[in-house]
Amino acid sequence: MRRFNLNHPPELIAHESVDGFWEVVDEVQNAILFVLLGLEVLAIPFPRLSLQSGMAAIVIVTCVRLAVVALIIGCMQLANRGFRSGVLTLSWGGLRGGLSIALALAVPVNQGRHGF
């Protein structure tokens, strides 16, 4: 929780309070969204073949990503002998924003995508 500095003018304190309120509203809405998504997953029947295919795809994509990152890091180490990096950290950490980038690039230019 934020502590308010009493030396700030009242307008700034009010602004910080409003920001804090909207942050809480955002967190509550995210929590509700993910709970509803979890409940929806419980309602969908998953055939065994679909689950096996999905798990295999996850493992294959993760292994390919690890191999590509290891290859790139290996090339960088050949070019620069002092270069050190964590292949596992880069492989696992890079998965976080991949979906957002894919969705952003999937937006057609005529529907609001700008210049990338």
Side-chain angles (χ1 to χ4, degrees), residues 37-52 54:
L37 284 171
L39 291 174
E40 183 179 350
V41 167
L42 292 175
I44 298 172
F46 288 106
R48 186 177 183 136
L49 181 62
S50 296
L51 287 175
Q52 290 172 340

Side-chain angles (χ1 to χ4, degrees), residues 10-21:
E11 305 86 39
L12 230 103
I13 294 172
H15 182 71
E16 289 177 3
S17 297
V18 170
D19 282 347
F21 169 76

Side-chain angles (χ1 to χ4, degrees), residues 50-110:
S50 296
L51 287 175
Q52 290 172 340
S53 300
M55 291 302 215
I58 290 171
V59 170
I60 290 168
V61 167
T62 304
C63 290
V64 169
R65 178 168 177 83
L66 178 67
V68 169
V69 169
L71 179 69
I72 292 171
I73 296 297
C75 291
M76 291 178 76
Q77 287 175 343
L78 287 175
N80 183 4
R81 295 286 180 200
F83 185 81
R84 296 189 57 102
S85 180
V87 173
L88 291 176
T89 304
L90 287 173
S91 298
W92 189 254
L95 296 175
R96 186 169 182 253
L99 182 61
S100 301
I101 292 171
L103 289 172
L105 292 175
V107 174
V109 175
N110 61 356

